[in-house]
Amino acid sequence: MPHTSSPATASWLHQAIARIEADYQRSADTHLIPLPLPTFAAAGIDLYLKDESTHPTGSLKHRLARSLFLYALCNGWVREGSTIVEASSGSTAVSEAYFARLLGLPFVAVMPRSTSAEKIALIEFYGGRCHFVESAGEVYDAARAVALETGGHYMDQFTYAERATDWRGNNNIAESMFTQMQRERHPVPRWIVVGAGTGGTSATIGRYVRYQRHATQICVADPAGSVFAAYHRTGDATLTAPGSRIEGIGRPRVEPSFIRTLVDRMEEVQDPDSIAAMRALSALLGRRVGPSTGTNFVAMLALAQEMRARGEQGSILSLLCDAGERYLPTYHDEDWVRRCLGDCADAGERLQGRMA
């Protein structure tokens, strides 16, 4: 709907942007954690995780939500009293609920019923409301319908994630990574590994790497059931897939924010391998991590093995996407995993072999 500019509108907009910027200034940058893997270190290969679980809303999606709000505000799409609507499997919705509350705006998250109870509780804690659909493929149309019914704004993370962040720098995640790596043994990573839900993170990092002319390649770790790996191979944007069972990454359709030309390699990861890696990494760090971080770790180990076999040295950097406490009744519950994803014992043995 058209918005009329007025002094009152401008005043609210200025205050809204100032609140988001003030919130950012109150938050320290996330930590870079070296992984204690002696056999790889002895071969000159160092692995790191950037711990995105320490954001105020507990995940990587805090950065995206901040960018999406600023983008929508500066485009004139959100005004005082606007209902914010998002299609999200959980973490983006948690972070957007946080920023909606910061601005005093109603928030509705449209999500599959399978979303973890912990994430639903967090959305509601921040004052959001959850609107459930049966499958991941239904969230898009349902979110548009809710936005139309409420006269609100559909944030549409899957379209705008790749363009809402300033990829040239300005404190984005890529700039932070390279700044924190400056004093490490191999300060320019050979590989950066990320998952893809919207594709916004791989797009931001991929563009930044090219802009800064770094000799770094981007690998996307893609869970079973996701369409992204097939799309990367074929370039066919009409492809569909069943959808991922690893919450937060992988999609049943090709999302507009996934830019395949910015990704150097796709590493397809089976669900038992993601869970086994999640468990191994949790033990290695002495704290629980989420399943998408496990997916990233599988790809990191595959790349490290290949580098070692070729006699190459360098660093591999990825993301600790969120904390495992959000998944205690699901991915960190043995019975739930066996029932929903199958036996992970063989995957665990394979993973230990890769870490040796």
Side-chain angles (χ1 to χ4, degrees):
M1 86 178 41
H3 298 161
T4 303
S5 181
S6 70
T9 299
S11 175
W12 183 86
L13 172 63
H14 295 167
Q15 290 175 26
I17 293 172
R19 286 179 187 173
I20 293 173
E21 292 297 282
D23 180 79
Y24 172 75
Q25 291 299 324
R26 292 192 292 269
S27 302
D29 196 7
T30 58
H31 293 199
L32 187 69
I33 303 171
L35 297 182
L37 296 169
T39 55
F40 286 117
I45 302 168
D46 301 324
L47 281 69
Y48 301 85
L49 289 175
K50 187 162 174 60
D51 185 3
E52 295 294 286
S53 73
T54 58
H55 284 294
T57 53
S59 81
L60 167 67
K61 297 300 185 180
H62 193 84
R63 294 179 188 269
L64 173 59
R66 182 196 295 123
S67 294
L68 288 169
F69 266 85
L70 289 172
Y71 191 70
L73 286 164
C74 292
N75 280 332
W77 298 340
V78 171
R79 64 191 189 280
E80 186 173 8
S82 293
T83 296
I84 306 299
V85 183
E86 185 60 281
S88 170
S89 63
S91 286
T92 302
V94 172
S95 297
E96 287 189 14
Y98 171 92
F99 284 104
R101 186 177 74 169
L102 185 69
L103 303 185
L105 302 176
F107 178 76
V108 181
V110 179
M111 61 179 65
R113 291 190 186 279
S114 59
T115 301
S116 70
E118 286 70 23
K119 288 186 178 179
I120 293 168
L122 281 170
I123 292 164
E124 293 174 344
F125 170 78
Y126 290 122
R129 176 169 67 86
C130 297
H131 178 96
F132 297 103
V133 296
E134 295 305 318
S135 68
E138 298 175 47
V139 296
Y140 314 97
D141 289 341
R144 292 188 192 95
V146 172
L148 187 63
E149 290 166 9
T150 61
H153 173 64
Y154 171 31
M155 281 293 205
D156 194 0
Q157 60 166 326
F158 298 107
T159 295
Y160 296 110
E162 58 91 9
R163 66 195 73 171
T165 300
D166 184 355
W167 49 267
R168 297 170 188 83
N170 192 26
N171 296 307
N172 70 31
I173 191 170
E175 184 178 58
S176 175
M177 284 175 164
F178 281 90
T179 299
Q180 290 178 318
M181 285 291 294
Q182 284 177 355
R183 297 187 183 277
E184 300 301 317
R185 178 165 61 159
H186 305 292
V188 176
R190 180 68 185 82
W191 287 96
I192 294 177
V193 177
V194 297
T198 62
T201 302
S202 59
T204 296
I205 297 172
R207 287 168 176 157
Y208 181 86
V209 162
R210 294 184 181 194
Y211 183 63
Q212 296 295 336
R213 304 179 299 282
H214 290 308
T216 301
Q217 291 185 285
I218 309 302
C219 173
V220 166
D222 204 36
S226 171
V227 75
F228 289 134
Y231 170 58
H232 188 264
R233 283 194 301 270
T234 65
D236 183 356
T238 67
L239 290 173
T240 59
S244 165
R245 293 187 293 180
I246 301 299
E247 194 169 309
I249 56 172
R251 299 298 302 165
R253 73 169 199 181
V254 177
E255 302 297 352
S257 281
F258 183 80
I259 311 300
R260 63 189 285 267
T261 51
L262 292 169
V263 177
D264 298 291
R265 170 170 170 165
M266 302 290 297
E267 187 70 20
E268 297 179 70
V269 180
Q270 298 303 308
D271 293 338
D273 293 314
S274 291
I275 300 306
M278 177 194 75
R279 292 170 177 170
L281 190 54
S282 295
L284 191 67
L285 297 176
R287 49 179 286 208
R288 289 186 177 91
V289 302
S292 60
T293 305
T295 307
N296 289 345
F297 190 42
V298 173
M300 294 177 78
L301 291 175
L303 293 168
Q305 280 188 307
E306 292 175 12
M307 288 175 62
R308 184 171 58 182
R310 292 191 296 262
E312 297 175 358
Q313 298 188 350
S315 55
I316 302 172
L317 175 57
S318 189
L319 303 174
L320 197 166
C321 305
D322 58 7
E325 281 68 26
R326 292 183 173 183
Y327 308 99
L328 293 179
T330 52
Y331 298 94
H332 278 284
D333 180 83
E334 186 86 36
D335 291 337
W336 185 93
V337 169
R338 191 179 297 108
R339 186 171 65 253
C340 297
L341 300 178
D343 189 354
C344 298
D346 289 345
E349 291 179 9
R350 286 196 303 270
L351 189 85
Q352 292 303 320
R354 292 175 189 170
M355 293 172 63

